[in-house]
Amino acid sequence: MPVVDEVAADYQDSVTFLAVAAKGTLGATAQAADELFSENLLWGLDEEQQVWDLYGVPGQPATVLIAQGVVVDMWFGVNDADFLRERLDRLVSLS
């Protein structure tokens, strides 16, 4: 997630970044978020994994890109900054 936080700084005017955690307590999640994220990322805890189920996410890390309410890209696993920028540039072009 640190690479997402880093890249997010360059897209603050055009993309909202939301990290959705599950399988943890609010306290543990808040502590991890404080360690991993800057103000570039919003985060939340989905204790019942409803958001994960909605998008078919089996585990972390997973990324879902949404433009105008439609899923336009999705992948599982960790990727580097260049990969993220390529996908985010495509997302921004659709918005």
Side-chain angles (χ1 to χ4, degrees):
M1 289 299 292
V3 72
V4 174
D5 187 62
E6 173 190 329
V7 170
D10 296 333
Y11 292 86
Q12 290 298 300
D13 293 334
S14 54
V15 177
T16 300
F17 292 82
L18 173 64
V20 180
K23 301 180 182 177
T25 65
L26 182 57
T29 301
Q31 182 178 355
D34 285 345
E35 294 171 10
L36 294 173
F37 309 143
S38 69
E39 294 179 3
N40 297 332
L41 295 175
L42 303 173
W43 68 272
L45 175 63
D46 181 14
E47 293 177 293
E48 297 178 18
Q49 293 186 253
Q50 293 174 339
V51 172
W52 288 30
D53 292 344
L54 179 65
Y55 292 101
V57 174
Q60 297 173 338
T63 303
V64 180
L65 301 182
I66 302 168
Q68 300 174 357
V70 177
V71 173
V72 297
D73 203 351
M74 182 176 186
W75 64 88
F76 303 101
V78 177
N79 290 288
D80 64 19
D82 290 337
F83 176 91
L84 293 175
R85 289 179 197 286
E86 177 185 321
R87 298 295 180 96
L88 291 169
D89 288 342
R90 192 176 326 148
L91 173 72
V92 170
S93 74
L94 296 172
S95 297

